[in-house]
Amino acid sequence: MHPSQSQSCTAFDGHRLIASGPLREVAAATKQAIDAGAKGPVLVFDDQTSLPVEIDFRGGVDDVLSRLGLASAAADAAPRGPGRPRLGVVAREVTLLPRHWEWLAAQAGGASATLRRLVEDARRGEQDRALRAGEALDRFMQAMAGDLPHYE
């Protein structure tokens, strides 16, 4: 799986938890555990999908993080807030391109009604999220406990 900076993951040494949290922190803690003699297998999972996250642990911690495209822990930048304040974008404002506004204006009921309808449709999709969460749980349990006695 292709990692992203904001990805939340969890790493295990066999059945022992190594770390859980942002990919950068988990990768660094896992590298330290491997260097300290982790017995393995060392597995890192994406917290949302339970898909394995492939990390090349060769070299030092900085090498591992640089291969992931993540800044080293020493180079942490201050977290930025939402929006684009330099452009005047603040919370609870909708910024769209002119073609988006034109499309919204052409919809029955106008822009506000269309946006509310789109939000409601997306909320109905949350039921699908529960199904995906169950599938993620199945993947995780199979990977972690599939070889244990009486698993099935």
Side-chain angles (χ1 to χ4, degrees), residues 12-25:
F12 293 90
D13 172 16
H15 294 109
R16 185 182 66 83
L17 175 68
I18 296 173
S20 185
L23 178 59
R24 176 180 46 236
E25 294 172 15

PDB file of all heavy atoms in Angstrom, residues 12-25:
ATOM      1  N   PHE A  12       3.170  -4.123  14.772  1.00  0.00           N
ATOM      2  CA  PHE A  12       3.255  -5.232  15.711  1.00  0.00           C
ATOM      3  C   PHE A  12       4.555  -5.989  15.502  1.00  0.00           C
ATOM      4  O   PHE A  12       5.031  -6.132  14.382  1.00  0.00           O
ATOM      5  CB  PHE A  12       2.097  -6.217  15.500  1.00  0.00           C
ATOM      6  CG  PHE A  12       0.751  -5.654  15.837  1.00  0.00           C
ATOM      7  CD1 PHE A  12       0.000  -5.007  14.876  1.00  0.00           C
ATOM      8  CD2 PHE A  12       0.241  -5.776  17.114  1.00  0.00           C
ATOM      9  CE1 PHE A  12      -1.245  -4.485  15.177  1.00  0.00           C
ATOM     10  CE2 PHE A  12      -1.003  -5.259  17.426  1.00  0.00           C
ATOM     11  CZ  PHE A  12      -1.743  -4.615  16.446  1.00  0.00           C
ATOM     12  N   ASP A  13       5.105  -6.488  16.608  1.00  0.00           N
ATOM     13  CA  ASP A  13       6.208  -7.441  16.597  1.00  0.00           C
ATOM     14  C   ASP A  13       5.582  -8.754  17.039  1.00  0.00           C
ATOM     15  O   ASP A  13       5.351  -8.961  18.224  1.00  0.00           O
ATOM     16  CB  ASP A  13       7.311  -6.993  17.558  1.00  0.00           C
ATOM     17  CG  ASP A  13       8.412  -8.034  17.734  1.00  0.00           C
ATOM     18  OD1 ASP A  13       8.497  -8.966  16.901  1.00  0.00           O
ATOM     19  OD2 ASP A  13       9.182  -7.925  18.704  1.00  0.00           O
ATOM     20  N   GLY A  14       5.277  -9.600  16.075  1.00  0.00           N
ATOM     21  CA  GLY A  14       4.490 -10.785  16.400  1.00  0.00           C
ATOM     22  C   GLY A  14       3.120 -10.331  16.849  1.00  0.00           C
ATOM     23  O   GLY A  14       2.410  -9.658  16.117  1.00  0.00           O
ATOM     24  N   HIS A  15       2.734 -10.659  18.085  1.00  0.00           N
ATOM     25  CA  HIS A  15       1.446 -10.225  18.619  1.00  0.00           C
ATOM     26  C   HIS A  15       1.603  -9.068  19.598  1.00  0.00           C
ATOM     27  O   HIS A  15       0.642  -8.663  20.247  1.00  0.00           O
ATOM     28  CB  HIS A  15       0.723 -11.396  19.297  1.00  0.00           C
ATOM     29  CG  HIS A  15       0.339 -12.450  18.324  1.00  0.00           C
ATOM     30  ND1 HIS A  15       0.957 -13.673  18.275  1.00  0.00           N
ATOM     31  CD2 HIS A  15      -0.576 -12.465  17.319  1.00  0.00           C
ATOM     32  CE1 HIS A  15       0.431 -14.389  17.296  1.00  0.00           C
ATOM     33  NE2 HIS A  15      -0.500 -13.680  16.702  1.00  0.00           N
ATOM     34  N   ARG A  16       2.816  -8.521  19.718  1.00  0.00           N
ATOM     35  CA  ARG A  16       3.081  -7.416  20.636  1.00  0.00           C
ATOM     36  C   ARG A  16       2.992  -6.089  19.883  1.00  0.00           C
ATOM     37  O   ARG A  16       3.595  -5.917  18.837  1.00  0.00           O
ATOM     38  CB  ARG A  16       4.479  -7.568  21.246  1.00  0.00           C
ATOM     39  CG  ARG A  16       4.817  -6.535  22.316  1.00  0.00           C
ATOM     40  CD  ARG A  16       6.231  -6.703  22.841  1.00  0.00           C
ATOM     41  NE  ARG A  16       7.244  -6.436  21.834  1.00  0.00           N
ATOM     42  CZ  ARG A  16       7.695  -5.219  21.514  1.00  0.00           C
ATOM     43  NH1 ARG A  16       7.201  -4.169  22.102  1.00  0.00           N
ATOM     44  NH2 ARG A  16       8.628  -5.072  20.599  1.00  0.00           N
ATOM     45  N   LEU A  17       2.238  -5.149  20.449  1.00  0.00           N
ATOM     46  CA  LEU A  17       2.090  -3.820  19.856  1.00  0.00           C
ATOM     47  C   LEU A  17       3.407  -3.056  19.984  1.00  0.00           C
ATOM     48  O   LEU A  17       3.981  -2.974  21.068  1.00  0.00           O
ATOM     49  CB  LEU A  17       0.980  -3.059  20.568  1.00  0.00           C
ATOM     50  CG  LEU A  17       0.767  -1.603  20.147  1.00  0.00           C
ATOM     51  CD1 LEU A  17       0.237  -1.545  18.713  1.00  0.00           C
ATOM     52  CD2 LEU A  17      -0.197  -0.917  21.099  1.00  0.00           C
ATOM     53  N   ILE A  18       3.876  -2.522  18.875  1.00  0.00           N
ATOM     54  CA  ILE A  18       5.068  -1.667  18.893  1.00  0.00           C
ATOM     55  C   ILE A  18       4.645  -0.211  19.017  1.00  0.00           C
ATOM     56  O   ILE A  18       5.096   0.507  19.899  1.00  0.00           O
ATOM     57  CB  ILE A  18       5.913  -1.852  17.608  1.00  0.00           C
ATOM     58  CG1 ILE A  18       6.466  -3.266  17.528  1.00  0.00           C
ATOM     59  CG2 ILE A  18       7.037  -0.826  17.572  1.00  0.00           C
ATOM     60  CD1 ILE A  18       7.170  -3.567  16.220  1.00  0.00           C
ATOM     61  N   ALA A  19       3.795   0.243  18.115  1.00  0.00           N
ATOM     62  CA  ALA A  19       3.367   1.642  18.116  1.00  0.00           C
ATOM     63  C   ALA A  19       2.101   1.788  17.299  1.00  0.00           C
ATOM     64  O   ALA A  19       1.808   0.977  16.421  1.00  0.00           O
ATOM     65  CB  ALA A  19       4.459   2.534  17.534  1.00  0.00           C
ATOM     66  N   SER A  20       1.376   2.873  17.584  1.00  0.00           N
ATOM     67  CA  SER A  20       0.179   3.203  16.835  1.00  0.00           C
ATOM     68  C   SER A  20       0.096   4.712  16.729  1.00  0.00           C
ATOM     69  O   SER A  20       0.378   5.413  17.701  1.00  0.00           O
ATOM     70  CB  SER A  20      -1.063   2.645  17.533  1.00  0.00           C
ATOM     71  OG  SER A  20      -2.205   2.862  16.744  1.00  0.00           O
ATOM     72  N   GLY A  21      -0.250   5.219  15.544  1.00  0.00           N
ATOM     73  CA  GLY A  21      -0.359   6.658  15.353  1.00  0.00           C
ATOM     74  C   GLY A  21       0.028   7.044  13.946  1.00  0.00           C
ATOM     75  O   GLY A  21      -0.077   6.236  13.019  1.00  0.00           O
ATOM     76  N   PRO A  22       0.522   8.284  13.773  1.00  0.00           N
ATOM     77  CA  PRO A  22       0.935   8.743  12.445  1.00  0.00           C
ATOM     78  C   PRO A  22       2.062   7.875  11.885  1.00  0.00           C
ATOM     79  O   PRO A  22       2.912   7.381  12.630  1.00  0.00           O
ATOM     80  CB  PRO A  22       1.420  10.173  12.679  1.00  0.00           C
ATOM     81  CG  PRO A  22       0.793  10.580  13.971  1.00  0.00           C
ATOM     82  CD  PRO A  22       0.637   9.336  14.775  1.00  0.00           C
ATOM     83  N   LEU A  23       2.070   7.697  10.576  1.00  0.00           N
ATOM     84  CA  LEU A  23       3.043   6.826   9.920  1.00  0.00           C
ATOM     85  C   LEU A  23       4.475   7.160  10.307  1.00  0.00           C
ATOM     86  O   LEU A  23       5.275   6.269  10.562  1.00  0.00           O
ATOM     87  CB  LEU A  23       2.865   6.899   8.404  1.00  0.00           C
ATOM     88  CG  LEU A  23       3.842   6.071   7.573  1.00  0.00           C
ATOM     89  CD1 LEU A  23       3.756   4.598   7.931  1.00  0.00           C
ATOM     90  CD2 LEU A  23       3.595   6.287   6.099  1.00  0.00           C
ATOM     91  N   ARG A  24       4.812   8.450  10.372  1.00  0.00           N
ATOM     92  CA  ARG A  24       6.186   8.843  10.696  1.00  0.00           C
ATOM     93  C   ARG A  24       6.607   8.285  12.053  1.00  0.00           C
ATOM     94  O   ARG A  24       7.678   7.708  12.203  1.00  0.00           O
ATOM     95  CB  ARG A  24       6.314  10.365  10.686  1.00  0.00           C
ATOM     96  CG  ARG A  24       7.689  10.830  11.106  1.00  0.00           C
ATOM     97  CD  ARG A  24       7.868  12.336  11.124  1.00  0.00           C
ATOM     98  NE  ARG A  24       6.793  13.045  11.752  1.00  0.00           N
ATOM     99  CZ  ARG A  24       6.087  14.011  11.156  1.00  0.00           C
ATOM    100  NH1 ARG A  24       6.336  14.367   9.925  1.00  0.00           N
ATOM    101  NH2 ARG A  24       5.128  14.611  11.802  1.00  0.00           N
ATOM    102  N   GLU A  25       5.737   8.434  13.062  1.00  0.00           N
ATOM    103  CA  GLU A  25       6.057   7.969  14.409  1.00  0.00           C
ATOM    104  C   GLU A  25       6.111   6.439  14.471  1.00  0.00           C
ATOM    105  O   GLU A  25       6.984   5.860  15.127  1.00  0.00           O
ATOM    106  CB  GLU A  25       5.034   8.496  15.405  1.00  0.00           C
ATOM    107  CG  GLU A  25       5.074   9.999  15.550  1.00  0.00           C
ATOM    108  CD  GLU A  25       3.918  10.526  16.388  1.00  0.00           C
ATOM    109  OE1 GLU A  25       3.250   9.731  17.081  1.00  0.00           O
ATOM    110  OE2 GLU A  25       3.685  11.749  16.337  1.00  0.00           O
TER     111      GLU A  25
END
